[in-house]
Amino acid sequence: AKKKKPKLLNKFDKTIKAELDAAEKLRKKGKLEQAQKAFEDLVIRYPQSPRARYGKAQTEDDLAEKMRSNDMLQRAINTYGEAADLPNAPTDLVKLALKRRAERQQFLELGRIRGSLVTLQKLVQLFPDDVSLKNDFGVGYLLLGDNSNAKKVYEEVLSIAPHDGFAKVHYGFILKAENKIAESIPFLKEGLESGDPGTDDGRFYFHLGDALQRVGDEEAYKWYELGHKRGHFASMWQRSLYNVDGLKAQPWWTAKETGYTDLVKALERNWKLVRDEGLAVMDTEKGLFLPEDENLREKGDWGQFTLWQQGKKNENSCKQVPKTCTLMERFPESTGCKRGQIKYSIMKPGTHVWPHTGPTNCRLRMHLGLVIPKEGCRIRCTNDTRTWEEGKVLIFDDSFEHEVWQDASSFRLIFIVDVWHPELTPHQRRTLSPI
Ligand code: LMR
Ligand code: MN
C-alpha cells in the first residue's frame, strides 16, 4: 500500500496555512536563518500552533546539522517535544515529532559518549599510571556497545592491577555476555567482594547469580539475597531492575486478584479461535515464529510469534491472525502495555529454559494454554510449579524467577498476554518508558 501523506495541520493551522507554507518554503530552500526567523515569528504570534512549533523544531534541526552544533540540536529536541505536547496536535504530527526527537536524542547521546571517549583516551595517554581513568575508558566502550574494546581495556588494567575490583566486575560482565559462564564467575565474585567503588550495581549481582545457577551452584541465592539487602532487588526471588516501588508483589495471581476478569473470560471462551489461527500460521508461515534470542535456553527449540510489543501492534503479524487481534483490541490493559508483549509461544520436546527473571515489575503475564501435551510440560515460578491446561489461563508475575521444562513427546503451544500491573495509575501507564 502507498503511504498516505501525513496530516500536519489542525483546524486552526489551516487558517494560517499561507504563512506556514511561506516559512516552510524558506526551510526547504535551505534559507535556514530566514526560515528560523519566520517560524519563531509564527510561534510568538500563534503559540498554540503545533505546525508552527514543528516547523521551528525542524529548522533548528537543519541548522544544528549545518553548524554542527550540539546546543542547537538540544534546542531542536526540546522544540519537537513542545510541538508534540500542544493541545490538538494532529496524530501524524505528534508521531513524526516524537520519532525525530528520539532519533536526535540518541544521536546527541552517542555523540556525547564518543566525545567523552576521545577525552578519556587522551587522559589515559597523559596519565598512564592512573588505573581509574582506564576503568572509565572501558565503561565508555561498553556504553557504545563496543564490548571487544572494553574487554581489551580491562585486560590491560588487570595485568597491571590484578586486584582492581572495578575492572574485575566489568571484565566478568563482558565474559558473561560472551556466554563464558564459568569463566565469568570468579571475576564477578571477587569484584563484588572487593567492595571497590562502582562495583555495587544490581546487574553484577544479577549476572553472578545467573552464572552460578547455570553451573548448578546454590551459592547463587546467597548473592541474590545480598543484592536484595543492598537494595538492588525487591526480594531474593524478584530481581527485575526496572521497577515501580510499592506494587503488590506475588509470583502467582488469580484472575480476580488482577481485576482483569473480562480479559481472562474472553481468552478462555475464545481459546479455540486463538489456537486455530496460531496453528494455521505454524503450517503456512512457519518463519513468523522467531527463535528465542535472549540466551535463556539450556537446550531445545522455542519460538515466538509476536502480535504486540511495547504497546504497538504489528500490523503484518495481525493480518495472519485477524480474529485473535480483533479480540485483543478490546483490552487496552494488554494492547497498551508498553512494558509487555502479546505473542504465541511454541516449545518443542527436549527444551529447558534456565531460571530467569523479566526486566520489570510493571506487568503481569497471562498464559493461555492452546496445545498442551498430557505430561511433561511445567513452569516453576519461585518455589511453586504448575502446568498449563488447554483453554485455561495461568497468571504470574515474570519479574519473579521462573523456569520452564518441556519433556513431552509433542509440541506445546500457548498464547502469552502481558497486562499492566493493576495498581499502576493511568498516568503511569501513559508515561512509563517502553521496555
Ligand atoms: C516465559 O514467559 O518465560 C516462558 O514461560 C514462556 C513460555 O513459552 O513458556
Ligand atoms: Mn520468561
Side-chain angles (χ1 to χ4, degrees):
K2 236 182 97 193
K3 271 216 174 126
K4 273 190 248 140
K5 224 178 141 198
K7 291 197 176 65
L8 300 181
L9 301 182
N10 67 14
K11 220 167 165 181
F12 172 77
D13 279 349
K14 283 184 184 146
T15 69
I16 58 165
K17 183 168 184 304
E19 289 178 273
L20 289 164
D21 284 349
E24 179 66 7
K25 203 167 160 190
L26 290 168
R27 187 178 79 83
K28 281 273 164 65
K29 279 192 181 159
K31 299 183 177 173
L32 297 179
E33 282 77 13
Q34 290 175 49
Q36 187 187 29
K37 169 102 193 27
F39 275 119
E40 274 173 359
D41 216 53
L42 285 170
V43 164
I44 290 168
R45 281 162 50 217
Y46 311 114
Q48 298 291 86
S49 160
R51 181 63 188 91
R53 192 77 57 140
Y54 180 59
K56 177 171 178 275
Q58 285 184 303
T59 311
E60 288 163 352
D61 195 344
D62 292 351
L63 275 166
E65 203 143 333
K66 188 173 155 195
M67 300 161 25
R68 301 182 163 278
S69 157
N70 282 351
D71 287 343
M72 188 56 82
L73 188 52
Q74 187 59 62
R75 264 168 74 178
I77 287 166
N78 296 343
T79 313
Y80 280 123
E82 292 164 11
D85 277 345
L86 285 174
N88 303 317
T91 319
D92 284 354
L93 184 144
V94 171
K95 194 168 174 184
L96 286 171
L98 292 183
K99 262 177 125 166
R100 183 67 182 165
R101 182 169 193 262
E103 260 175 48
R104 299 278 81 194
Q105 270 176 318
Q106 212 162 26
F107 178 85
L108 192 62
E109 189 54 30
L110 284 178
R112 287 201 175 118
I113 298 170
R114 282 209 189 85
S116 79
L117 205 60
V118 172
T119 311
L120 279 165
Q121 188 159 32
K122 272 189 207 144
L123 280 165
V124 164
Q125 281 161 0
L126 279 171
F127 305 101
D129 298 333
D130 189 335
V131 165
S132 79
L133 288 173
K134 287 190 178 39
N135 279 335
D136 293 344
F137 190 40
V139 171
Y141 277 127
L142 282 176
L143 289 173
L144 285 175
D146 187 346
N147 283 29
S148 83
N149 270 314
K151 192 176 179 188
K152 283 182 203 148
V153 171
Y154 292 119
E155 272 163 0
E156 193 191 322
V157 172
L158 289 171
S159 75
I160 46 183
H163 301 294
D164 189 282
F166 189 97
K168 278 186 184 170
V169 281
H170 286 83
Y171 191 63
F173 183 82
I174 294 165
L175 290 174
K176 171 78 168 31
E178 292 176 346
N179 211 24
K180 294 181 174 148
I181 304 295
E183 281 178 64
S184 74
I185 291 172
F187 289 99
L188 285 165
K189 200 186 279 190
E190 289 165 25
L192 280 172
E193 279 164 351
S194 76
D196 285 354
T199 59
D200 189 28
D201 181 312
R203 286 168 299 177
F204 301 134
Y205 294 89
F206 186 103
H207 285 288
L208 173 55
D210 188 59
L212 288 166
Q213 283 184 297
R214 290 186 187 208
V215 301
D217 190 334
E218 290 284 321
E219 198 187 310
Y221 291 101
K222 183 195 116 183
W223 289 98
Y224 289 147
E225 195 55 54
L226 194 59
H228 163 57
K229 274 211 194 98
R230 302 243 165 105
H232 304 300
F233 306 137
S235 74
M236 176 187 84
W237 289 116
Q238 194 184 23
R239 303 190 296 271
S240 49
L241 294 172
Y242 297 87
N243 299 323
V244 165
D245 283 346
L247 297 179
K248 177 174 177 177
Q250 65 186 37
W252 292 98
W253 289 62
T254 64
K256 205 168 157 209
E257 284 170 326
T258 69
Y260 299 132
T261 47
D262 287 350
L263 168 56
V264 173
K265 267 187 221 152
L267 291 169
E268 294 189 340
R269 283 192 187 132
N270 293 286
W271 75 277
K272 286 187 176 165
L273 171 163
V274 179
R275 175 195 66 188
D276 292 345
E277 283 195 328
L279 288 173
V281 172
M282 279 170 52
D283 284 346
T284 59
E285 305 277 347
K286 227 173 158 235
L288 291 173
F289 278 81
L290 304 177
E292 175 271 325
D293 64 353
E294 293 176 279
N295 185 23
L296 297 177
R297 269 170 297 168
E298 177 192 8
K299 55 181 178 164
D301 200 333
W302 174 18
Q304 299 180 333
F305 170 45
T306 301
L307 308 180
W308 267 268
Q309 58 185 342
Q310 299 191 337
K312 282 194 265 214
K313 180 180 172 185
N314 184 321
E315 298 286 349
N316 274 331
S317 299
C318 275
K319 277 186 197 134
Q320 305 294 326
V321 289
K323 290 179 192 151
T324 300
C325 286
T326 303
L327 174 70
M328 291 314 300
E329 299 274 15
R330 287 170 27 207
F331 302 101
E333 63 267 46
S334 174
T335 58
C337 178
K338 285 185 283 175
R339 293 193 160 189
Q341 299 113 41
I342 301 174
K343 59 196 178 187
Y344 288 89
S345 174
I346 182 172
M347 205 177 274
K348 301 278 175 64
T351 303
H352 173 228
V353 181
W354 290 118
H356 67 284
T357 298
T360 176
N361 72 344
C362 294
R363 71 183 185 212
L364 300 177
R365 179 155 275 195
M366 299 187 179
H367 279 181
L368 173 64
L370 299 178
V371 179
I372 310 299
K374 282 239 143 38
E375 270 173 18
C377 295
R378 46 191 218 286
I379 173 165
R380 173 181 70 79
C381 187
T382 64
N383 45 20
D384 185 348
T385 301
R386 306 198 178 181
T387 53
W388 298 272
E389 277 177 63
E390 292 184 355
K392 290 276 169 292
V393 167
L394 282 181
I395 310 171
F396 69 108
D397 179 337
D398 82 325
S399 62
F400 285 86
E401 176 182 310
H402 55 287
E403 180 173 14
V404 181
W405 298 264
Q406 174 12 332
D407 297 316
S409 44
S410 56
F411 71 85
R412 181 226 64 178
L413 183 67
I414 61 172
F415 189 55
I416 298 179
V417 175
D418 290 339
V419 289
W420 281 122
H421 190 293
E423 290 174 353
L424 289 168
T425 65
H427 178 257
Q428 287 172 314
R429 296 177 195 209
R430 276 200 306 277
T431 53
L432 279 166
S433 62
I435 294 181

